[in-house]
Amino acid sequence: MSRVLLGISGGIAAYKACELVRLLVRAGHEVRVVATPHALEFVSPLALQALSGHPLRSELFSLSEEDRISHIELADWAEVFAVAPATANLLAKLANGLADDLLTTVALATQAPLVVAPAMNVNMFDHPATQENLERLAKRGARLVGPGTGELACGWTGAGRLVDLEAIVGAIERAGSSDDLRGEVVLLSAGPTAEPIDPVRVLTNRSSGRMGFALAEAAARRGAEVVLVAGPVAQPTPAGVERVDVETAREMQDAVLGSLERATIAIFSAAVADYSVERPTASKLKRESSESLTLRLVRNPDILGQVIERRRGQTVVGFAAETEDLLANARAKLERKGCDLIVANDVSRSDIGFDVSENEVAIVGPAPEQVVEVPRRSKREVAERILDRVLEVRRG
Ligand code: CTP
């Protein structure tokens, strides 16, 4: 999660800045906004302030604004400085190091990485002056995102649209993420397994895979190579993640063990079925065939257990989905399974756990008395805290 300073300059696309602030806040970032006076002709300062939860800054020489937090404190506070939309005029100022208002002064004073999302008329964008400015900014390490191509507010068609807000959020997150997992290979299991009863029916559970996918996304963003072994879930594959889709516990086991050797960190968030049907039928079971039906179940392999037996230096993390005595059960599982950490969550609560967007966990280990509590927050944030803890343990 990053402290994002969002600069808004005065073009028609500034009206989209409110939605951008909302997306960033929803993704767990802390956002402060600096707008040029011209930007405020297009977008309401009150809306920006309400959405970001911080006072909007616009003037350099304002006694009241500078009193709360000075422009230098603002520049130092930022972990990422993003300008969206960036007009042709603003790009020219940034490229030349002008500092004649609050936004451009902060841009010179900050050491945070710069993300620029240009938006303007196609001819202004194509102008050699603008192109040179963009090239200069890119050479200095600025990350340019967009513009998109299409119908422009000015009536022309071509390059100059503010790129999709999701793309801007992605660029900001990549700029803000530390590379602390670079060099690590993270093997993850996620989602439920589905054990066939007949060709059309399965035994499965309520896991949505969200926690595991959030872990995969965060690990990739932090520079790790990620192999995600996923049970049947409807989650999109995060950028840069190698995904292996499986159905049954046995398939999950094969995929996990197949990638174990190259992994340095292994995290098992999958809700693996403990049992599978001993003899799934080759054809569909018919309703008329009998009044009652008995399925004989056999125990599935313990994937985590096998990993522990074969591991060579990997940091291994298990999950414990519990409905009672959370910490006691987690501690017992840590010892019984022999992993380095157990992430315990209470799946009896409807506001966290299975198939919801938030979670609250306790990370137990390596010694049973060591517990890091992560209070209720988005699964993305929980994923970051889990990875923080894994790194602490891994690097002593
Ligand atoms: N796990 C696994 N293979 C299995 C079952 C579980 O790899 N066949 C992993 C899970 O992904 C999780 C951890 O083991 O990381 C603990 O899963 P859980 O179902 O809570 O453990 P169980 O040993 O089945 O314990 P319980 O008695 O609570 O069912």
Side-chain angles (χ1 to χ4, degrees):
M1 302 305 109
S2 303
R3 295 191 299 268
V4 180
L5 185 60
L6 177 66
I8 306 172
S9 59
I12 176 65
Y15 85 90
K16 296 179 179 166
C18 287
E19 186 63 18
L20 180 57
V21 172
R22 208 178 63 87
L23 286 176
L24 286 166
V25 169
R26 203 165 56 187
H29 304 290
E30 201 182 336
V31 182
R32 289 175 184 266
V33 181
V34 175
T36 64
H38 284 158
L40 297 182
E41 300 286 336
F42 295 99
V43 60
S44 147
L46 198 58
L48 291 167
Q49 182 157 308
L51 289 166
S52 68
H54 289 291
L56 173 91
R57 300 292 307 269
S58 174
E59 292 173 42
L60 183 55
F61 301 111
S62 155
L63 282 180
S64 54
E65 285 189 10
E66 280 291 293
D67 183 42
R68 282 193 293 259
I69 173 169
S70 78
H71 63 280
I72 297 298
E73 282 172 281
L74 205 55
D76 290 344
W77 171 87
E79 289 175 329
V80 182
F81 181 48
V83 186
T87 58
N89 181 52
L90 193 91
L91 291 174
K93 289 196 203 175
L94 292 177
N96 288 286
L98 292 185
D100 64 350
D101 60 11
L102 180 66
L103 200 165
T104 47
T105 304
V106 170
L108 265 194
T110 190
Q111 294 187 310
L114 173 65
V115 175
V116 177
M120 64 199 73
N121 161 272
V122 58
N123 295 331
M124 292 171 86
F125 179 70
D126 285 340
H127 196 286
T130 304
Q131 289 301 317
E132 275 173 37
N133 290 332
L134 284 167
E135 228 167 83
R136 282 169 82 177
L137 287 168
K139 240 184 232 156
R140 273 191 235 136
R143 295 151 199 247
L144 307 178
V145 50
T149 303
E151 215 174 286
L152 306 177
C154 55
W156 284 73
T157 300
R161 285 170 65 91
L162 186 71
V163 73
D164 288 347
L165 300 182
E166 285 75 19
I168 302 176
V169 171
I172 290 172
E173 292 186 334
R174 280 191 296 282
S177 69
S178 57
D179 266 3
D180 56 2
L181 283 170
R182 191 157 300 285
E184 305 286 358
V185 181
V186 178
L187 171 62
L188 275 155
S189 76
T193 61
E195 309 295 338
I197 297 169
D198 68 12
V200 295
R201 301 180 179 96
V202 292
L203 282 181
T204 187
N205 60 65
R206 294 184 194 282
S207 168
S208 64
R210 283 193 220 190
M211 192 63 243
F213 276 66
L215 279 161
E217 186 184 341
R221 207 170 48 235
R222 289 165 71 158
E225 200 180 307
V226 180
V227 182
L228 173 62
V229 179
V233 291
Q235 304 284 345
T237 309
V241 167
E242 179 185 331
R243 173 176 181 167
V244 185
D245 283 313
V246 298
E247 294 268 333
T248 65
R250 286 206 175 272
E251 288 168 14
M252 185 171 274
Q253 166 186 260
D254 292 344
V256 164
L257 296 181
S259 291
L260 180 63
E261 212 170 304
R262 65 178 165 128
T264 59
I265 295 169
I267 306 177
F268 298 102
S269 67
V272 186
D274 286 324
Y275 294 91
S276 54
V277 179
E278 186 175 44
R279 279 195 202 88
T281 55
S283 49
K284 190 181 162 197
L285 291 171
K286 288 295 192 190
R287 183 178 146 81
E288 299 84 49
S289 55
S290 66
E291 265 311 300
S292 69
L293 173 68
T294 305
L295 292 175
R296 195 177 155 76
L297 303 181
V298 290
R299 187 115 67 128
N300 271 336
D302 178 4
I303 303 171
L304 177 56
Q306 300 199 11
V307 165
I308 294 292
E309 274 175 27
R310 289 159 209 229
R311 77 156 146 184
R312 288 209 205 98
Q314 290 94 344
T315 303
V316 180
V317 183
F319 268 66
E322 305 291 346
T323 52
E324 61 220 338
D325 299 329
L326 188 68
L327 277 184
N329 277 319
R331 289 192 170 114
K333 211 163 264 182
L334 178 80
E335 305 229 279
R336 193 171 70 240
K337 301 263 180 188
C339 41
D340 300 294
L341 294 170
I342 284 279
V343 179
N345 67 341
D346 181 349
V347 288
S348 68
R349 279 171 55 179
S350 59
D351 58 335
I352 56 169
F354 278 156
D355 207 12
V356 291
S357 59
E358 295 193 316
N359 207 352
E360 176 179 309
V361 302
I363 309 171
V364 183
E369 65 279 3
Q370 288 174 289
V371 178
V372 174
E373 306 264 4
V374 184
R376 182 177 156 185
R377 45 186 75 175
S378 72
K379 285 187 172 168
R380 294 185 55 163
E381 288 173 82
V382 173
E384 299 283 358
R385 297 292 84 76
I386 293 170
L387 293 174
D388 290 347
R389 184 71 187 127
V390 169
L391 265 187
E392 266 171 33
V393 168
R394 185 158 179 75
R395 302 190 177 159

